[in-house]
Amino acid sequence: MPAQPLAPETADAPVAVVRRQYLASATGDLDLWRTTVAADVEWIEAAGSPLAGTYRTPDGVISGVFEQLAAAWDDWITHDDTYVVDGERVVVLGRYSAVNKATRKTMSVRVAHCFIVRDGKIVRFEQIVDPAGVHTAMTA
């Protein structure tokens, strides 16, 4: 049986929404980022990481995560290397790189991000990261 062509990606397809979220984060376009998440988004930062916890609402994520990262790190980049898609679930394997403002130490750590996208919006995000590399960069 010949392979079936893939359906074209729509703007509200889960993988397109997640990619747009990364683009918005990378460029600091919070208005665009807000269009990718649900009003009641649940955003989970990994246990053991400096920002560990669950944040809700776009404003909660911006103030609890994005603003804190900007205050503590220079040149923060999330490298979204590999996407694995299963329906509404999108898992992104990648890494973070940054320079800690207090110590001037660099960081490069592997991460996995698990998204659930419904009706064109991210409703849940969960970060999986080994926080040791983050903590090493943060300690003098």
Side-chain angles (χ1 to χ4, degrees):
M1 172 186 261
Q4 297 297 316
L6 296 175
E9 187 178 294
T10 63
D12 62 347
V15 70
V17 173
V18 170
R19 284 186 175 131
R20 203 163 47 251
Q21 180 275 151
Y22 282 118
L23 175 64
S25 292
T27 60
D29 187 342
L30 294 179
D31 290 333
L32 176 60
W33 183 83
R34 285 176 188 278
T35 70
T36 68
V37 296
D40 60 349
V41 66
E42 179 180 56
W43 194 275
I44 303 167
E45 294 287 317
S49 69
L51 300 177
T54 300
Y55 303 85
R56 289 182 170 76
T57 76
D59 287 340
V61 175
I62 290 169
S63 65
V65 179
F66 296 157
E67 289 177 359
Q68 301 308 310
L69 291 174
W73 300 91
D74 284 326
D75 305 321
W76 184 278
I77 299 173
T78 301
H79 306 267
D80 53 328
D81 299 328
T82 303
Y83 285 69
V84 180
V85 182
D86 182 19
E88 67 182 10
R89 296 181 187 279
V90 179
V91 175
V92 180
L93 306 175
R95 65 186 170 88
Y96 296 143
S97 63
V99 178
N100 185 266
K101 289 183 178 184
T103 66
R104 302 310 304 159
K105 289 183 180 179
T106 60
M107 167 192 70
S108 180
V109 296
R110 298 287 299 156
V111 297
H113 291 164
C114 304
F115 295 88
I116 296 176
V117 180
R118 290 190 185 121
D119 299 322
K121 300 284 186 181
I122 296 166
V123 298
R124 188 171 192 275
F125 163 89
E126 183 175 0
Q127 172 202 59
I128 300 166
V129 64
D130 179 357
V134 179
H135 287 290
T136 298
M138 293 177 73
T139 55

